Amino acid sequence: MNGYSPSQPNLSKKVIFIGVGGATCSGKTTLAKHLRSVLPGSVIIHQDDFAPPEELVPIHPIHNVQDWDDPEGAIDWPRMVTFLRRVKETGILPEDHKSHDGLNKQDPMPIPQDVLDQWRSRFQEMQDSVRNSSGVELVWGLVDGFLLYWHPGVIQALDTRIFLRVSYPTLKARRERRFGYHTAVQFSPEGSFWRDPPGYWDDIVWPAYLKAHERIFEGGDIDHGSAALVDDEQTATVSDKAMKIKVPEQNITQGEMQASESKDELSRCGQPVPRLLVLPAEDLTMEQLFTAVCDRLLSLNS
């Protein structure tokens, strides 16, 4: 998408954003990279790249450490929503967008080359069919993030929504095997390097994950519950309100107005997600996850 131009200059572009969400260490980025390898001209947009600069990351009020996981402060939501809307409108990834993707390493989870080749061919056929029948060039954007389904403005931008479900013990074990994380590089060439202090998973990461996702699932059951039902129209209405909250004109201070806006916006976050495909990532191989998502993507053309 960055520097990408369609094979026929008069074609209009249609951006398809594929959301790949789930907890930290659930396999999101690995899956997204496999999908990138078969979707023509696709790119990955990492939610982590929209984290605030290190000095603005909130301090946890109880544990007195930086909280990189709480959904309210871990992401610069207006910047991310504006970015996605801009890419949707233009079909171009801004040249000044920087990513930390190359700094963090994932454990290899290979997919057989013949499987990748088959899917690459099928998506190229889909690309050519849409171009020839409709005069439209499909532009694929893979959006991955551990808080991907918190803000309604982000949810609304996503055309397909995937959630990788993994249990607490497996997530914790994977996280503890990681040496550390490079954070967003938007504000410095190398970003910053974060290593979990003792107890960070149980004190910060897991509670934040529950906070961000429990209302997405029926009965708040993150481990076993079905995705709660909601329609796209409701999400679109909530998204518009979350991005532009109107406060009745009255004699209130600026501080009171900001507090009211903040409370109103937060009430609209972390709600059920329309058309969310929940995959039991712990029980499936990477090839099975990949195939399930590819099947969903092909259905977009039906």
Side-chain angles (χ1 to χ4, degrees):
M1 203 181 302
N2 190 9
Y4 171 81
S5 60
S7 56
Q8 300 179 31
N10 294 327
L11 293 176
S12 61
K13 296 181 182 180
K14 179 180 179 180
V15 175
I16 298 177
F17 279 143
I18 304 156
V20 184
T24 175
C25 301
S26 59
K28 304 179 302 298
T29 303
T30 301
L31 175 59
K33 288 182 176 180
H34 283 306
L35 292 168
R36 180 180 61 185
S37 74
V38 300
L39 292 169
S42 57
V43 297
I44 300 177
I45 299 168
H46 298 282
Q47 187 176 49
D48 289 355
D49 292 328
F50 298 91
E54 184 177 8
E55 62 271 17
L56 296 183
V57 174
I59 301 297
H60 193 279
I62 297 175
H63 302 290
N64 199 35
V65 295
Q66 281 188 305
D67 188 347
W68 291 89
D69 290 82
D70 185 78
E72 296 176 26
I75 301 297
D76 183 344
W77 294 108
R79 183 161 66 91
M80 183 175 184
V81 172
T82 299
F83 178 93
L84 294 177
R85 289 181 175 177
R86 179 181 174 189
V87 174
K88 269 279 191 183
E89 292 171 358
T90 65
I92 298 172
L93 197 67
E95 293 183 0
D96 60 353
H97 179 68
K98 301 175 183 178
S99 178
H100 76 296
D101 175 48
L103 300 176
N104 290 318
K105 305 299 181 183
Q106 283 83 36
D107 293 334
M109 301 181 70
I111 293 175
Q113 188 60 47
D114 63 320
V115 174
L116 295 174
D117 290 342
Q118 290 170 14
W119 280 107
R120 187 178 298 112
S121 176
R122 295 183 70 178
F123 283 117
Q124 188 60 58
E125 290 176 3
M126 176 181 176
Q127 191 95 357
D128 294 341
S129 174
V130 172
R131 181 192 301 118
N132 295 332
S133 63
S134 306
V136 172
E137 189 77 18
L138 298 180
V139 180
W140 302 91
L142 296 145
V143 188
D144 82 333
F146 70 106
L147 294 172
L148 197 59
Y149 302 118
W150 169 257
H151 196 287
V154 173
I155 296 169
Q156 186 189 8
L158 303 174
D159 299 282
T160 294
R161 299 145 189 167
I162 310 298
F163 183 87
L164 304 186
R165 173 181 274 160
V166 179
S167 69
Y168 167 94
T170 298
L171 291 171
K172 183 177 182 179
R174 290 178 182 177
R175 176 88 174 205
E176 290 178 346
R177 285 199 300 267
R178 289 193 175 179
F179 182 71
Y181 291 85
H182 286 275
T183 60
V185 300
Q186 192 71 21
F187 304 98
S188 64
E190 299 298 330
S192 59
F193 188 77
W194 170 261
R195 187 179 301 169
D196 289 350
Y200 191 78
W201 170 267
D202 286 308
D203 292 338
I204 307 292
V205 178
W206 186 251
Y209 173 67
L210 296 178
K211 174 181 177 179
H213 295 90
E214 60 187 358
R215 287 186 288 180
I216 294 175
F217 297 97
E218 292 183 355
D221 187 351
I222 292 177
D223 287 330
H224 306 288
S226 301
L229 299 179
V230 66
D231 58 42
D232 279 292
E233 183 177 350
Q234 179 178 343
T235 303
T237 302
V238 169
S239 171
D240 292 338
K241 291 180 178 179
M243 287 300 293
K244 187 176 182 180
I245 300 169
K246 294 184 179 297
V247 178
E249 294 185 6
Q250 50 184 311
N251 188 22
I252 59 176
T253 67
Q254 182 67 21
E256 290 172 333
M257 179 178 293
Q258 291 176 346
S260 175
E261 291 176 351
S262 177
K263 183 177 180 180
D264 197 12
E265 179 173 355
L266 287 176
S267 71
R268 296 180 169 91
C269 294
Q271 298 293 334
V273 179
R275 296 179 291 110
L276 183 65
L277 175 61
V278 181
L279 296 174
E282 196 170 0
D283 303 324
L284 302 176
T285 65
M286 181 54 64
E287 180 181 348
Q288 290 171 323
L289 289 172
F290 170 81
T291 300
V293 176
C294 287
D295 283 334
R296 167 65 72 94
L297 297 180
L298 281 182
S299 71
L300 295 175
N301 195 38
S302 61

